[in-house]
Amino acid sequence: MIQALLRLLPYLVRVRRQLVLGLACILAATGLSLASPWVLKYVVDGLTTGVDRARLGVYALAVVGLAVADGLFRYLMRSYVIGASRQIEYDLRNDFFAHMERLPQAYFQANRTGDLMSRATSDLSAVRMMVGPAVMYFASTALGFVVAVAIMLWIDVRLTLVALLPLPGVTLGTRYFGKAIHDRFERIQAQLSDLSAVVQEAMAGVRVVRAYRQEPHELARFRAANDEYVTRNRGLIRLQAAFYPSLTLCFGLSGLLVLWVGGREVIGGRLTLGEFVAFGRYLVLLSWPLIAFGWVINLVQRGVASWERMLEVLDAPVGEAPHPAAGAIAASSVAAGRIEARHLTFRYPGASDDALTDVSFTIEPGTTTAIVGATGAGKSTLVQLLPRLFEPPPGTLFIDGVDVRDQPLASLRASMGAVLQEPFLFSDTVEGNILFGAPDAGDAADRRQRAETAASMAGVDADVRDFAAGYDTRVGERGITLSGGQKQRVALARALVVDPRILILDDALSAVDTATEERILQHLRSVRQSRTCVIIAHRISTVRDADQILVLEAGRIVERGTHEALVAEGGRYAEMHRRQQLEQELEHA
Amino acid sequence: MSTAVDHVAEDVLGKAYDARLMRRLVAYLRPHAVVVAIAFVAIVVASAVELAQPWITQLAIDHDIATGDIAGLGRLAALLLVLLLAGFAAEYVQTSILQLTGQRIMHTIRMQVYAHYQRLDVQFYDKNPVGRLMTRVTTDVDALNDLFTSGVITVFGDVLVLVGIMIAMLVMSWRLALVAFVVLPAIAWVAYWFRTHVRETYRRVRGLIARVNAFLQEHLTGMATVQMFGQEPRTLDRFERINRDHRDANIDSIFYYAVFYPAIEILAAISSALIIWVGGGWSEQGIVSLGVLVAFLQYSRRFFQPISDLSEKFNIMQAAMAASERIFHVLDTPPVIVGPVRSVQPTAARAGRIEFDHVWFAYHDDAFVLRDVSFVVEAGQRIGIVGATGSGKTTIINLLLRFYDVNRGRILVDGVDVREWDLVALRARFGLVLQDVHLFSGSIADNIRLGQQDISNEDVERAARAVHAHAFITARPDGYASSVGERGASLSVGQKQLLSFARAIAFDPAVLLLDEATSSIDAATEALIEDALHVLMAGRTVIAIAHRLSTIQDMDRILVVHKGELREQGTHQELVAQRGLYFRLYELQYSKG
């Protein structure tokens, strides 16, 4: 725990000025707020013994003056400390995201997005609560408590001891109830997600539910979950209903003791009436620190647990660093685009079978290679290894003669443009998406120009012009929904914009109709000559012009050659070719 | 035809009070009238106790301490003890009653909504995303809970305390009371100022945190693209910008809190100062007693809480009204497909004759998916339906089960129009096996018998044996009691398929509707499934949508659907001989090399 907390230190150091000033303000405010009951003592004592109007006026002004000064310092305290906590939250969130950007794809495969999200959100907020409000309340309450008790002891030791009698119950109570309430709350949340799961299941499977007439059964399942939810809530309610009144009761008892014992002391002349009244006020001031203590402890516990969960991500190793010696070679030479695989065998982390087995091939610069094969044959794996989204074993995959593992990630990926399977577009404008890889492309007109050129090459220009806001149309969640084919073509434009040496199309035109595809391929033919292309496709029409076609089956290359050669060979490729012809005929029936 | 799309927006807050909605909501309180009345009494008691404490201080100072009456002081302390205990009890009773009643009402509303979900048609689900429907029974109902527990009823308590304090002060000394009240409008104004600004900044912060989260979610999902294009630095830049906006909005909102609490303290201090200065003078003149003065100082600090609470209630009411509107909207959506008031019972107990009579159907407007389709399936006959994706095959099954109603023509099951059948009885004739097997969380046995308790364990096992599922089930540590995991995650596609066969067998339907799986399965499982299918089809009318023609080659008849029309029908041999669509499909699948 200490180890973990020490790692927060750099973040605290960055906002040290605010923290120090904040703490100073806490000192000042606490001192001032403890002074005002003392004025009250003078007032009451003055009134019992006789006092003039002017003096009362001074007291009155003192009360207001103290409150104003106290308020000022509290204002500053809050601004500094909570402001600092927001700054820390900001820094942490940035660092967290920056770290995730460097994590390899394998990490994202092994960890659910929802889980990472919760660390970046609710855990982060628990950490902030610990470094902000918890620190502030701890400092102000600890100080307030010590000073108030000291003053009370100074007024009357015996009365203080009596008055404090019921109060440890408050801190212990807050702590116990706080934890119990938190636990029960978690149990309720868990049940709520169960309840949601029941609903989700029945809604998603509504056809089965209706067909098998399971409505009453589903209702019964829901009722059970609903009953349990209420039961768990009842547990929380009982605690909460007892918690707050019992705090009130503790303070009430304390006040009662002061009234009874203190009243007797006043009667006995051992205590002035003013001291008696002031004492009561100090007791009231004491109530908040006592509640806050228990609360602060819970905040810190939660904060530490959350921070440890965040550290798990921050400590996850980032994508392998390139070999230091080889870095210079690759960076100095402009990539020609020659790709070579030598006995490449690859297995996904945690998988039990190889995704690729003993794959070897050479792709000369400026040529096009197509890869075909059934789903799961390993086609996408191959293209994910090229930009090192997953790490190939050393000595198996080379670009321009250099092992990809020895190339700096940035320059390696900069030499490639890829349209991955099921391309991902961001909720941004169409132009923003197309220029994703080249964001600094000159002025507005220039940028538009580049986006349009790429879009027309990708055959999506006409579609974009039909949108209400053209290239400024937002896509995704807050914008329009693109069809599968439009998405793919925008993604293609995005890959073309960066003018890559190596162009990778992973099933990039599967949702585009054949006529449009034909047109796009025409456009590409002109660009293709100057770069190396790797195309994965299911349609023969897409791949027939390739210089080389590789047929993958279960992770192995089973056939290779040109379209004509493979058709003549009469193997798997030829069979695929024949079936597609038949399908086409059927289509027109 | 109005399966109205749920158009009530998710996060629009409207009125805080709507009489029509309120009447409907209050109706839910009626069954709990007695306990709610008790809670009201408890609120009154709790408020009274809160008011009594400064009063007791006043009595102690002015009477017992002034006169040195130790016994009297003891009596007052005893009275205070009684009051404290009464206050504790009243608070406890009030909180627990209100919260528990709230829970009961939420339970009722949730059951109502969910029961209504079970009545609504498949088309309702086509139009409403599952996530939204779930929100209705979870988040929205919780917003209503706030209304019952901390909304309406505690407003009463706040008003009671505030009015009580004012009355107590007026009774003790009306003159000093008026002096103390000087700050009241200011407190009310500050509270109002704070709430409105905080509401505003809160909305801003919430909007920004939503953006931060959306950005995170999006870029975590699309991280491969970010990395592929080497856009990590720029993406981080953009994230920092959104993150900064969020930080700044939060820092702005600190201002309001930082001003609010001190401002209230200062106002309270002003009130105290006035009491000291004016009241002190009067005390010298004997117009007010010292005890009253001290009691006033205590009361003046208690103004604030109820005023601040009251302004907070507005938000709760607003959210609850919006939520209840959405909930009632669902409850008021009538199911489109309902059984007839007087259903016609077919004569045959278990037959299974099906007739499509010039059926036209469109999911939307007039985009017809089936056009003038007519065919008859005699009881016990097996037919296969083939055709390309989107040709309307699945629609035939949807219509038979009356998930939708035909636009024109009619569908007869055992001679009776499906619209005249009792819905439950109609669906009981059919067993449905979908290509995408839906499993429920629970055990394997649960997934075979579903909720049908009259299907015994022996029946379950017999069904599983019949479709060759017994072996892999018993190979699991808990056998039939093993849990299937989240949406059947631990089962292979083939195993899920076999389970759905077992389910259909256990229900023993007269007609089997089969939407055959397309996904490729390993050869061994494939053989098992082929064999299980034959067992499944024995002795029933079968309508099978086939993707593998091997399944249906020996069917009594094959229907070829193409672009919504029934283009060919006949046996495999007849259709092959015809050399039409079917022949070409057949060629596509079978001729190797």
Side-chain angles (χ1 to χ4, degrees):
Chain A
M1 173 176 156
I2 302 295
Q3 203 79 33
L5 284 178
L6 278 179
R7 306 218 6 217
L8 264 180
L9 215 55
Y11 293 95
L12 295 172
V13 168
R14 251 181 269 177
V15 291
R16 60 186 176 276
R17 193 182 137 268
Q18 277 161 290
L19 287 179
V20 169
L21 285 173
L23 284 174
C25 291
I26 292 174
L27 278 176
T30 310
L32 287 166
S33 65
L34 290 171
S36 80
W38 204 247
V39 177
L40 216 58
K41 171 190 132 47
Y42 285 118
V43 172
V44 175
D45 283 345
L47 287 174
T48 34
T49 54
V51 66
D52 59 21
R53 202 63 196 269
R55 215 172 175 87
L56 277 180
V58 172
Y59 292 148
L61 283 178
V63 168
V64 175
L66 282 172
V68 170
D70 176 37
L72 185 69
F73 283 115
R74 279 189 197 275
Y75 167 80
L76 291 174
M77 159 188 99
R78 203 170 266 278
S79 305
Y80 285 132
V81 179
I82 305 295
S85 80
R86 290 293 176 189
Q87 180 63 37
I88 293 172
E89 178 190 32
Y90 166 79
D91 289 339
L92 274 173
R93 210 197 299 274
N94 284 340
D95 288 357
F96 196 74
F97 185 70
H99 185 76
M100 286 202 282
E101 278 190 329
R102 298 177 58 210
L103 289 172
Q105 282 307 304
Y107 189 83
F108 294 101
Q109 215 172 41
N111 293 276
R112 285 173 304 138
T113 311
D115 185 44
L116 293 176
M117 281 292 294
S118 96
R119 289 173 205 232
T121 54
S122 53
D123 282 331
L124 179 57
S125 125
V127 173
R128 184 194 78 82
M129 287 301 278
M130 173 172 71
V131 296
V135 166
M136 181 172 86
Y137 290 124
F138 176 77
S140 99
T141 57
L143 194 68
F145 178 80
V146 171
V147 178
V149 170
I151 296 175
M152 287 164 79
L153 284 170
W154 188 56
I155 295 175
D156 186 331
V157 176
R158 201 165 74 99
L159 189 56
T160 307
L161 293 180
V162 171
L164 291 184
L165 222 51
L167 297 187
V170 173
T171 300
L172 290 177
T174 315
R175 192 147 148 50
Y176 163 73
F177 276 109
K179 188 169 165 10
I181 284 174
H182 182 71
D183 290 349
R184 295 199 185 185
F185 186 73
E186 299 267 285
R187 273 169 48 79
I188 287 172
Q189 289 304 108
Q191 181 60 27
L192 183 65
S193 76
D194 280 3
L195 184 93
S196 306
V198 171
V199 181
Q200 144 87 31
E201 254 180 32
M203 309 275 111
V206 64
R207 281 176 163 76
V208 173
V209 172
R210 295 290 183 279
Y212 282 92
R213 309 165 312 282
Q214 293 304 306
E215 295 92 340
H217 177 59
E218 281 306 312
L219 200 56
R221 257 160 59 97
F222 182 77
R223 185 186 299 281
N226 199 3
D227 286 348
E228 177 62 23
Y229 184 62
V230 170
T231 308
R232 291 192 184 183
N233 263 297
R234 201 170 282 156
L236 179 67
I237 289 167
R238 272 197 216 101
L239 270 184
Q240 274 179 332
F243 177 43
Y244 296 105
S246 55
L247 287 186
T248 316
L249 184 65
C250 281
F251 291 123
L253 286 175
S254 196
L256 181 146
L257 289 169
V258 170
L259 179 81
W260 192 39
V261 178
R264 290 165 68 121
E265 305 224 322
V266 174
I267 293 169
R270 290 182 295 274
L271 193 72
T272 68
L273 190 59
E275 285 169 340
F276 172 70
V277 173
F279 196 92
R281 277 299 283 282
Y282 282 117
L283 195 64
V284 173
L285 287 180
L286 211 56
S287 59
W288 170 235
L290 287 166
I291 295 176
F293 254 158
W295 187 64
V296 163
I297 293 173
N298 290 335
L299 279 190
V300 171
Q301 276 180 344
R302 240 170 276 163
V304 170
S306 285
W307 178 230
E308 280 168 349
R309 274 162 50 80
M310 286 184 76
L311 282 176
E312 280 171 22
V313 178
L314 288 172
D315 289 342
V318 297
E320 249 176 87
H323 196 270
I329 313 167
S332 61
S333 65
V334 172
R338 185 174 188 278
I339 304 171
E340 192 187 350
R342 291 183 204 151
H343 305 291
L344 169 60
T345 296
F346 176 77
R347 180 180 292 195
Y348 282 103
S352 55
D353 295 308
D354 290 340
L356 291 175
T357 314
D358 195 25
V359 168
S360 300
F361 59 81
T362 308
I363 302 174
E364 293 301 336
T367 66
T368 296
T369 294
I371 306 174
V372 297
T375 316
K379 307 185 301 285
S380 297
T381 307
L382 196 55
V383 299
Q384 285 187 322
L385 293 178
L386 281 174
R388 282 174 65 197
L389 289 174
F390 288 88
E391 293 285 356
T396 55
L397 200 53
F398 299 83
I399 289 181
D400 295 339
V402 181
D403 191 337
V404 291
R405 307 233 336 185
D406 292 335
Q407 305 199 21
L409 274 181
S411 65
L412 174 71
R413 287 175 183 168
S415 67
M416 300 177 190
V419 185
L420 300 179
Q421 214 175 9
E422 291 169 25
F424 187 87
L425 297 186
F426 295 94
S427 45
D428 192 353
T429 61
V430 174
E431 181 182 286
N433 268 296
I434 294 178
L435 295 182
F436 183 73
D440 312 314
D443 60 18
D446 214 31
R447 292 167 56 79
R448 177 57 50 90
Q449 176 66 39
R450 286 190 68 173
E452 281 176 3
T453 311
S456 25
M457 206 146 33
V460 74
D461 185 54
D463 296 62
V464 176
R465 286 180 195 282
D466 278 349
F467 297 155
Y471 281 85
D472 295 322
T473 310
R474 287 191 75 86
V475 301
E477 237 170 281
R478 289 170 170 274
I480 60 163
T481 312
L482 298 182
S483 75
Q486 287 171 332
K487 259 195 203 167
Q488 288 187 332
R489 283 175 285 155
V490 170
L492 177 59
R494 174 170 70 187
L496 290 173
V497 152
V498 297
D499 192 22
R501 196 87 350 227
I502 299 171
L503 184 64
I504 300 170
L505 306 181
D506 184 359
D507 214 1
L509 297 169
S510 58
V512 177
D513 65 82
T514 16
T516 315
E517 184 185 12
E518 189 56 42
R519 219 156 24 85
I520 297 170
L521 290 173
Q522 282 294 343
H523 293 310
L524 286 184
R525 212 148 286 150
S526 56
V527 250
R528 262 201 252 159
Q529 274 147 23
S530 57
R531 61 197 87 211
T532 309
C533 280
V534 181
I535 299 180
I536 293 179
H538 284 108
R539 285 194 208 136
I540 299 291
S541 55
T542 317
V543 303
R544 60 186 311 153
D545 288 340
D547 301 299
Q548 170 182 228
I549 297 169
L550 307 177
V551 183
L552 272 183
E553 194 175 270
R556 290 172 191 275
I557 296 180
V558 290
E559 291 173 20
R560 65 176 90 202
T562 62
H563 174 75
E564 286 71 24
L566 288 174
V567 168
E569 205 174 289
R572 288 181 183 78
Y573 184 82
E575 160 64 13
M576 194 176 137
H577 175 56
R578 220 184 47 74
R579 286 176 63 156
Q580 291 200 4
Q581 275 181 325
L582 274 169
E583 261 168 27
Q584 220 165 3
E585 277 173 39
L586 204 63
E587 188 69 21
H588 299 298
Chain B
M1 289 282 264
S2 72
T3 310
V5 178
D6 208 4
H7 64 262
V8 186
E10 292 297 310
D11 47 5
V12 174
L13 288 181
K15 289 184 274 189
Y17 186 82
D18 181 320
R20 186 181 48 89
L21 291 175
M22 208 58 204
R23 262 198 304 281
R24 234 171 135 172
L25 287 171
V26 167
Y28 286 100
L29 271 175
R30 211 156 288 143
H32 309 282
V34 176
V35 284
V36 171
I38 295 175
F40 268 99
V41 173
I43 289 178
V44 174
V45 172
S47 309
V49 169
E50 200 176 333
L51 292 174
Q53 292 176 39
W55 201 300
I56 287 181
T57 312
Q58 183 255 324
L59 290 177
I61 291 174
D62 285 349
H63 299 280
D64 306 311
I65 294 179
T67 57
D69 182 356
I70 288 180
L73 194 64
R75 278 196 297 279
L76 270 185
L79 175 62
L80 184 55
L81 182 64
V82 172
L83 284 174
L84 285 174
L85 292 175
F88 175 80
E91 284 264 348
Y92 180 79
V93 167
Q94 176 226 323
T95 320
S96 44
I97 283 184
L98 286 184
Q99 302 263 6
L100 286 176
T101 308
Q103 286 299 328
R104 284 195 196 104
I105 294 173
M106 295 315 108
H107 186 272
T108 310
I109 295 179
R110 246 182 255 124
M111 287 313 295
Q112 277 184 356
V113 174
Y114 195 72
H116 195 65
Y117 278 170
Q118 295 303 326
R119 277 191 295 273
L120 287 167
D121 323 285
V122 170
Q123 27 188 307
F124 176 81
Y125 292 90
D126 292 344
K127 290 176 185 162
N128 292 282
V130 172
R132 188 185 295 166
L133 298 178
M134 283 171 52
T135 309
R136 297 292 165 273
V137 284
T138 52
T139 322
D140 282 343
V141 174
D142 280 343
L144 273 189
N145 189 23
D146 292 342
L147 174 76
F148 287 109
T149 54
S150 51
V152 195
I153 296 161
T154 46
V155 166
F156 173 74
D158 288 334
V159 172
L160 210 62
V161 170
L162 190 60
V163 171
I165 288 177
M166 294 173 77
I167 291 175
M169 290 171 87
L170 286 168
V171 168
M172 281 183 173
S173 164
W174 65 268
R175 270 186 280 206
L176 195 53
L178 293 182
V179 171
F181 291 167
V182 166
V183 296
L184 265 185
I187 290 181
W189 183 81
V190 168
Y192 174 78
W193 171 86
F194 174 67
R195 287 293 165 211
T196 39
H197 281 93
V198 158
R199 193 151 52 220
E200 233 165 72
T201 53
Y202 177 66
R203 196 169 298 162
R204 208 176 122 217
V205 167
R206 215 172 44 167
L208 283 165
I209 193 71
R211 275 185 59 199
V212 168
N213 290 346
F215 189 96
L216 267 174
Q217 174 86 45
E218 182 177 322
H219 287 82
L220 284 182
T221 318
M223 193 56 90
T225 306
V226 173
Q227 293 180 344
M228 188 56 230
F229 282 88
Q231 293 303 309
E232 295 94 333
R234 189 174 67 102
T235 307
L236 182 59
D237 245 30
R238 290 182 49 212
F239 182 66
E240 274 178 7
R241 228 169 301 146
I242 300 174
N243 199 7
R244 190 174 312 137
D245 287 347
H246 171 251
R247 179 197 64 189
D248 293 346
N250 265 311
I251 289 178
D252 287 350
S253 80
I254 298 173
F255 170 77
Y256 298 105
Y257 288 94
V259 165
F260 176 65
Y261 294 114
I264 291 297
E265 283 298 315
I266 291 170
L267 285 173
I270 289 173
S271 179
S272 301
L274 284 172
I275 292 168
I276 288 170
W277 193 52
V278 179
W282 287 344
S283 156
E284 290 284 86
Q285 297 160 28
I287 299 173
V288 294
S289 69
L290 195 53
V292 167
L293 203 70
V294 173
F296 262 61
L297 289 172
Q298 292 185 7
Y299 276 133
S300 71
R301 306 209 139 255
R302 298 185 188 217
F303 277 150
F304 158 66
Q305 200 54 48
I307 294 180
S308 166
D309 281 357
L310 277 173
S311 66
E312 201 174 355
K313 298 292 148 54
F314 184 82
N315 293 357
I316 293 175
M317 296 282 286
Q318 220 178 10
M321 285 296 146
S324 67
E325 180 147 23
R326 291 193 292 262
I327 289 172
F328 290 145
H329 184 76
V330 169
L331 288 177
D332 294 344
T333 305
V336 178
I337 292 178
V338 287
V341 182
R342 202 166 301 165
S343 54
V344 178
Q345 270 308 334
T347 39
R350 180 194 168 95
R353 182 182 185 276
I354 288 161
E355 183 177 352
F356 270 57
D357 182 11
H358 299 286
V359 169
W360 289 73
F361 177 76
Y363 287 100
H364 306 287
D365 305 322
D366 51 0
F368 284 99
V369 184
L370 290 184
R371 302 158 180 275
D372 200 28
V373 170
S374 298
F375 62 86
V376 175
V377 182
E378 294 301 338
Q381 238 184 10
R382 299 192 216 164
I383 68 150
I385 304 179
V386 296
T389 323
S391 56
K393 292 169 302 189
T394 307
T395 306
I396 291 177
I397 285 183
N398 283 340
L399 292 179
L400 269 175
L401 288 164
R402 230 191 135 203
F403 287 158
Y404 305 86
D405 275 339
V406 297
N407 295 52
R408 267 179 267 164
R410 56 190 189 137
I411 297 169
L412 305 175
V413 172
D414 292 333
V416 177
D417 191 319
V418 290
R419 285 167 294 193
E420 285 167 21
W421 271 81
D422 173 63
L423 259 186
V424 173
L426 173 72
R427 291 177 181 162
R429 289 260 146 144
F430 298 104
L432 177 66
V433 176
L434 290 174
Q435 55 172 285
D436 205 358
V437 179
H438 185 83
L439 293 180
F440 298 86
S441 53
S443 69
I444 285 180
D446 289 343
N447 268 290
I448 293 176
R449 76 158 72 89
L450 297 178
Q452 215 68 23
Q453 289 312 319
D454 53 356
I455 297 177
S456 68
N457 285 340
E458 289 71 41
D459 295 337
V460 167
E461 193 181 318
R462 200 171 309 125
R465 274 183 197 282
V467 298
H468 310 300
H470 183 72
F472 86 78
I473 295 172
T474 43
R476 304 188 147 239
D478 295 322
Y480 284 86
S482 339
S483 156
V484 297
E486 198 175 318
R487 313 207 73 198
S490 59
L491 294 165
S492 76
V493 177
Q495 290 172 334
K496 284 191 220 174
Q497 197 61 251
L498 291 180
L499 277 190
S500 78
F501 287 176
R503 183 191 284 169
I505 287 239
F507 276 74
D508 192 24
V511 183
L512 180 70
L513 304 176
L514 194 65
D515 197 349
E516 188 202 19
T518 39
S519 22
S520 46
I521 312 169
D522 62 281
T525 320
E526 177 98 40
L528 276 185
I529 286 182
E530 291 271 320
D531 199 44
L533 264 178
H534 284 284
V535 177
L536 191 56
M537 293 194 288
R540 310 173 204 281
T541 308
V542 176
I543 297 183
I545 295 175
H547 299 279
R548 279 168 303 204
L549 299 189
S550 61
T551 325
I552 54 164
Q553 270 182 38
D554 54 350
M555 291 271 184
D556 299 319
R557 194 148 41 99
I558 295 163
L559 311 181
V560 182
V561 186
H562 194 70
K563 295 178 180 164
E565 287 172 47
L566 183 56
R567 294 275 287 264
E568 292 171 12
Q569 56 176 315
T571 63
H572 174 70
Q573 283 72 20
E574 287 164 6
L575 289 174
V576 169
Q578 212 172 309
R579 306 219 147 231
L581 283 168
Y582 182 81
F583 177 69
R584 267 183 276 184
L585 278 171
Y586 178 72
E587 252 198 333
L588 192 56
Q589 287 202 358
Y590 281 97
S591 43
K592 295 249 176 198

